[in-house]
Amino acid sequence: MSSSLISDFLHRAGGTAIIDGGLATELERHGADLNDPLWSAKCLISIPQSHLIRQVHLDYLENGADIITTASYQATIQGFKEKGFSNEESENMLRRSVEIACEARDLYYERCAACSSGKNADDRILKQRPILIAASVGSYGAYLADGSEYSGNYGDAITLKTLKDFHRRRVQVLADASADLLAFETIPNKIEAQAFAELLEEENIKVPAWFCFNSKDGINVVSGDSIVECGSIAESCNKVIAVGINCTPPRFIHGLILLLKKVTTKPIAIYPNSGETYDGERKEWMQNTGVTDKDFVSYVSKWCELGACLVGGCCRTTPVTVRGIYNTLYSNQSAILSTQ
């Protein structure tokens, strides 16, 4: 999918497309025990839990998501091998993450075909529309499972070459697995953004990508590197078709969009977390530190006015959040049409 095709996708979506919300935290809400270094990727190991992933994907589609991200954020060949799986088994689980998302999309389209009104009796959104599968690629810090994707501090031993070698095969497998795009998410520092950009070129990856960074101050990425410098790396890579921010408190997004717009002409993707704080050592979310769905959704129109055209949620957001985004965007589009 080239830049012209993402433009076409956005045009068909009415100018703004909706990304899904939190996956791992939603799996936990459905009863999955993810207290494991593999986090959401643990659900790729067993068939019953892989069905749970598909159900969560479907929940997001039925609440208005146009893009669903796979359960591969914390899925790495190295991580699976540490659990005793072979190279082949590890690669198959990466592929399976994309297959599950494709199955959910197919099932959703079947339900749409069986429903002529666009909404089901239980208020599900069943609307034929383009839906993209984004294969999630988490940072090296996500594999470490020590919270370092929220600090970006990998130590001096981790070099550009180390990072490229770590991610190379995983990116190849996901790129060949029938996803529509690669979602490089929660990129915490400049060196990993550079590693991803170089990998896409070196391996001549045909599937387009987006780069999304995370911030804890609204000015820099979490490592302290400049968001402007990180955005410039994404802008300079022809394989990258969107750049943005994820897993960041909503209150910081306004300023970050303005900073990114200084250096990128590409579509801007925004999918923050609920604003809650994650304790990387205790491996738990600190309660009552986030915003409500109502408050989260109240930001959306402003983000879109500033230039965001791919909008969704990250950790601790739910299908209810995505429905709120859908309702907001749909009402905005209806208001615009009524004035024309």
Side-chain angles (χ1 to χ4, degrees):
M1 186 174 68
S2 66
S3 58
S4 62
L5 283 178
I6 189 73
S7 298
D8 180 60
F9 171 72
L10 287 168
H11 177 73
R12 293 173 70 185
T16 309
I18 302 173
I19 305 168
D20 59 8
L23 177 63
T25 48
E26 193 63 11
L27 288 168
E28 287 177 324
R29 196 173 69 82
H30 281 274
D33 176 9
L34 303 185
N35 185 18
D36 188 277
L38 290 175
W39 204 33
S40 57
K42 179 185 174 190
C43 292
L44 294 169
I45 294 172
S46 76
I47 291 174
Q49 292 205 314
S50 68
H51 290 165
L52 194 56
I53 297 171
R54 187 176 67 186
Q55 182 57 52
V56 172
H57 287 326
L58 198 53
D59 288 345
Y60 279 118
L61 292 174
E62 291 179 344
N63 280 282
D66 305 302
I67 302 171
I68 51 176
T69 49
T70 62
S72 51
Y73 174 79
Q74 212 142 330
T76 63
I77 294 167
Q78 296 88 337
F80 285 131
K81 287 179 74 174
E82 285 170 12
K83 290 285 187 180
F85 294 98
S86 67
N87 252 333
E88 183 180 7
E89 288 169 329
S90 302
E91 292 183 8
N92 282 340
M93 280 187 277
L94 285 173
R95 295 184 187 98
R96 181 70 185 130
S97 71
V98 178
E99 288 170 5
I100 293 166
C102 291
E103 288 169 7
R105 178 171 61 182
D106 290 345
L107 184 54
Y108 178 76
Y109 282 148
E110 287 174 16
R111 293 183 180 182
C112 290
C115 175
S116 57
S117 68
K119 277 195 178 179
N120 198 275
D122 56 7
D123 204 36
R124 289 176 294 162
I125 296 165
L126 296 173
K127 187 172 72 173
Q128 283 283 359
R129 62 192 187 280
I131 291 166
L132 300 183
I133 308 297
S136 173
V137 182
S139 67
Y140 177 71
Y143 153 73
L144 295 176
D146 61 359
S148 59
E149 75 261 46
Y150 300 109
S151 72
N153 298 324
Y154 294 164
D156 295 338
I158 302 303
T159 63
L160 191 65
K161 182 181 184 302
T162 310
L163 291 170
K164 287 197 289 186
D165 289 347
F166 175 82
H167 288 293
R168 190 178 305 273
R169 182 58 187 156
R170 174 198 197 188
V171 168
Q172 290 172 333
V173 171
L174 287 172
D176 291 338
S178 301
D180 299 297
L181 58 94
L182 297 172
F184 293 91
E185 304 185 289
T186 327
I187 306 172
N189 52 37
K190 190 168 61 174
I191 189 173
E192 194 150 27
Q194 188 65 42
F196 287 144
E198 291 185 16
L199 260 185
L200 291 174
E201 296 292 350
E202 288 172 12
E203 299 302 323
N204 193 23
I205 299 297
K206 303 296 186 188
V207 180
W210 76 43
F211 281 13
C212 284
F213 302 91
N214 58 334
S215 173
K216 55 190 175 187
D217 63 6
I219 302 168
N220 303 303
V221 297
V222 292
S223 65
D225 292 339
S226 160
I227 187 67
V228 170
E229 290 182 18
C230 290
S232 296
I233 292 169
E235 175 68 10
S236 66
C237 181
N238 291 332
K239 309 280 187 181
V240 175
I241 47 90
V243 58
I245 305 293
N246 78 296
C247 214
T248 294
R251 67 184 182 276
F252 294 138
I253 298 300
H254 182 285
L256 291 165
I257 293 175
L258 294 177
L259 289 170
L260 283 175
K261 285 182 70 176
K262 291 182 176 181
V263 292
T264 187
T265 56
K266 298 180 182 187
I268 291 178
I270 296 297
Y271 51 118
N273 57 36
S274 66
E276 289 172 85
T277 303
Y278 184 74
D279 186 326
E281 291 184 6
R282 295 171 64 183
K283 293 185 170 49
E284 61 185 41
W285 292 89
M286 295 168 64
Q287 295 298 316
N288 305 316
T289 55
V291 299
T292 64
D293 280 333
K294 183 179 179 181
D295 288 339
F296 184 101
V297 170
S298 73
Y299 286 103
V300 169
S301 296
K302 189 64 179 175
W303 296 337
C304 294
E305 286 171 19
L306 289 172
C309 52
L310 298 154
V311 183
C314 200
C315 295
R316 307 288 278 187
T317 61
T318 70
V320 174
T321 318
V322 167
R323 172 58 72 97
I325 296 171
Y326 175 89
N327 289 341
T328 298
L329 295 179
Y330 187 75
S331 63
N332 287 352
Q333 288 173 13
S334 298
I336 291 167
L337 289 172
S338 69
T339 61
Q340 292 176 346

